[in-house]
Amino acid sequence: MKILVINAGSSSLKYQLFDMDNETVLAKGLCERIGIDGHLKHTPLVEGKSVFNEEIPMPTHAEAIAAVMDKLTSSEYGVVSSMHEIGAVGHRIVHGGEYFSSSVVITDEVLKLIEACSPFAPLHNPAHITGIKACMEVLGKDVPEVAVFDTSFHQTMPPKAFIYAIPYEYYTEDKVRRYGFHGTSHRYVSARAMDMMGRHDDDLKLITCHMGNGSSICAVKGGKSIDTSMGFTPLVGLPMGTRCGQMDMGAVQYIMHKHNLNIDEMLEILNKKSGVLGVSGVSSDFRDLEAAMAEGNKRAELALDLFHYWVAKTIGGYVAAMNGVDGIVFTAGVGENSAETRKAVCEYLGYLGCAIDDEANSLHGTERFISTPDSRVKLMVVPTNEELVIARDTKALVG
Ligand code: ADP
């Protein structure tokens, strides 16, 4: 069965076509500048086919999907002979609110509920809905579509982890609570870690660290999320590439008054100009920060120190929440690639009996243990694969 995985943004659309008989990616690509002019980069991953990288008019997402279909089926760039080979479509959806604790086949009712969550993710959910409708238009309603939510893995959190200490009516009436994000990634890497450790029991305590441009940490007990660092929005928790993480509202109010900023201007700063970029003044990219620090840049060093410190103290909080930890997993751009970050974080964790193996830590790209044999806690690197989870869920629901 061939499954198309779609991640639709407001002016972009990423896709991967999977052959689920052997879980391989046949082609992937990115449509950009939808609604402006339009550009498609399509990369077939089978031999003898060429990359397409050109402008194509895309007034709406429907033209973008049509262009993707055209390339997927063309003789020069294509990997399938006709659109009818595509058995189903899986969509990444950022917010499923409290409605969805697992992936679902998209129906009119599901679409309405995704729409009902739009106020919680105003930049993402409306774009996802546009992407779903564009697929229905181009592929027809007979091709089943599945929604896979970033929030659903965290729906197992207990109230003490998701309720904010504000008047309770803001939860009951307005649904303001911690939702958590990156759930598909935390689910995938925790499941892989359970396989690697050969343990699938309810007592297994894992902490998964998704560290990329956006970063979040999750406490996973017996395969279920019991706490996570992002909240009602992906702004909080750890300091990130450009996001502030944990912040004092009183300080926010003080800055707004002092600099005459309205709330939208302030949030723009907290979302896009803060984090390690804001502290360092250098970059949001950890490679740039590590290079700047090596050249003696003190603010780059401070930004990295602060990031490692927050990762370590969030891990500490989750060890307390679970009364122990058996394994710690590192994933995403920074977690998978930065040996320095993993080493710096683990240096805080000696009290837990974490011992990192420098040689295994210095390797690149592969799923592996990076702890020494006598480390009390297993340390692991697991490259994340959210698209594969979406394809698997889609196959399981429609297959
Ligand atoms: P996103 O959150 O957008 O999905 P990724 O998970 O792809 O992001 O992570 C991107 C980040 O990974 C980059 O901003 C960069 O900071 C970091 N990164 C990638 N490779 C390395 C590396 N070799 N060393 C340190 N950081 C890296």
Side-chain angles (χ1 to χ4, degrees):
M1 182 182 208
K2 312 269 189 330
I3 289 178
L4 183 63
V5 172
I6 300 271
N7 182 356
S10 55
S11 69
S12 71
L13 185 147
K14 282 190 215 142
Y15 63 92
Q16 288 194 12
L17 182 67
F18 282 84
D19 181 348
M20 289 309 284
D21 294 341
N22 47 19
E23 293 196 336
T24 52
V25 181
L26 299 172
K28 60 183 180 181
L30 171 65
C31 302
E32 285 180 295
R33 299 176 62 83
I34 302 169
I36 306 165
D37 36 31
H39 184 274
L40 170 61
K41 179 161 188 200
H42 166 81
T43 310
L45 299 171
V46 298
E47 253 178 57
K49 302 290 176 173
S50 320
V51 171
F52 178 90
N53 190 9
E54 282 178 36
E55 310 215 327
I56 296 188
M58 295 174 185
T60 71
H61 285 66
E63 286 83 7
I65 294 282
V68 171
M69 287 304 147
D70 184 53
K71 294 299 161 262
L72 284 172
T73 54
S74 95
S75 56
E76 194 177 349
Y77 312 103
V79 293
V80 288
S81 54
S82 113
M83 206 162 81
H84 303 295
E85 277 189 50
I86 297 171
V89 182
H91 292 269
R92 179 221 177 187
I93 310 290
V94 163
H95 221 301
E98 289 189 328
Y99 298 119
F100 300 105
S101 52
S102 58
S103 305
V104 286
V105 174
I106 298 172
T107 59
D108 288 346
E109 180 62 18
V110 167
L111 259 180
K112 277 191 201 134
L113 294 177
I114 296 174
E115 205 154 7
C117 296
S118 286
F120 301 153
L123 297 179
H124 293 98
N125 274 31
H128 301 326
I129 293 166
T130 311
I132 293 168
K133 289 185 174 162
C135 284
M136 285 176 178
E137 199 178 316
V138 174
L139 287 156
K141 282 208 164 186
D142 289 343
V143 178
E145 302 196 31
V146 165
V148 180
F149 302 91
D150 282 11
T151 48
S152 62
F153 183 60
H154 302 301
Q155 281 295 301
T156 46
M157 284 191 288
K160 66 184 174 190
F162 73 69
I163 290 289
Y164 288 131
I166 56 176
Y168 197 65
E169 294 69 33
Y170 290 117
Y171 169 57
T172 51
E173 284 166 32
D174 303 322
K175 298 285 170 222
V176 174
R177 49 160 285 178
R178 180 189 304 283
Y179 286 101
F181 299 89
H182 293 142
T184 311
S185 175
H186 290 296
R187 171 152 76 104
Y188 175 78
V189 301
S190 57
R192 287 301 311 141
M194 290 169 91
D195 289 346
M196 287 166 75
M197 293 173 74
R199 280 189 60 183
H200 297 88
D201 51 279
D202 288 347
D203 294 329
L204 182 68
K205 297 161 184 168
L206 296 173
I207 296 173
T208 50
C209 308
H210 178 111
M211 307 187 292
N213 279 319
S215 297
S216 68
I217 301 193
C218 184
V220 185
K221 192 162 180 218
K224 294 193 171 110
S225 168
I226 61 135
D227 205 347
T228 191
S229 59
M230 282 178 169
F232 179 71
T233 72
L235 177 61
V236 298
L238 308 170
M240 310 180 204
T242 61
R243 286 174 242 167
C244 62
Q246 165 83 350
M247 187 63 205
D248 180 343
M249 309 301 160
V252 170
Q253 185 195 36
Y254 175 79
I255 295 170
M256 286 171 69
H257 285 166
K258 183 119 201 280
H259 294 277
N260 197 20
L261 300 171
N262 66 35
I263 189 70
D264 291 336
E265 290 164 338
M266 187 72 237
L267 277 174
E268 178 87 2
I269 292 168
L270 296 175
N271 266 303
K272 304 214 171 128
K273 296 187 178 159
S274 301
V276 292
L277 168 68
V279 174
S280 68
V282 172
S283 172
S284 62
D285 192 304
F286 281 69
R287 287 164 290 201
D288 298 341
L289 293 174
E290 285 169 9
M293 185 180 111
E295 284 168 12
N297 185 312
K298 289 292 171 203
R299 272 174 58 189
E301 184 176 347
L302 172 62
L304 288 168
D305 274 354
L306 186 145
F307 180 77
H308 303 149
Y309 177 71
W310 269 93
V311 173
K313 75 175 186 176
T314 306
I315 290 173
Y318 292 162
V319 173
M322 294 192 288
N323 190 18
V325 61
D326 300 302
I328 298 174
V329 185
F330 297 98
T331 192
V334 179
E336 290 166 31
N337 296 305
S338 174
E340 291 82 356
T341 299
R342 294 189 297 260
K343 172 109 178 142
V345 169
C346 290
E347 268 166 14
Y348 282 99
L349 307 178
Y351 71 101
L352 292 172
C354 288
I356 198 163
D357 178 331
D358 287 327
E359 201 179 321
N361 187 42
S362 67
L363 299 175
H364 271 284
T366 51
E367 194 174 277
R368 64 194 182 277
F369 287 101
I370 55 165
S371 42
T372 60
D374 58 350
S375 177
R376 273 212 299 277
V377 178
K378 300 282 180 214
L379 305 170
M380 288 158 272
V381 174
V382 178
T384 194
N385 197 339
E386 289 156 289
E387 292 78 12
L388 179 59
V389 178
I390 296 173
R392 281 181 181 166
D393 278 9
T394 304
K395 183 181 171 190
L397 283 165
V398 309

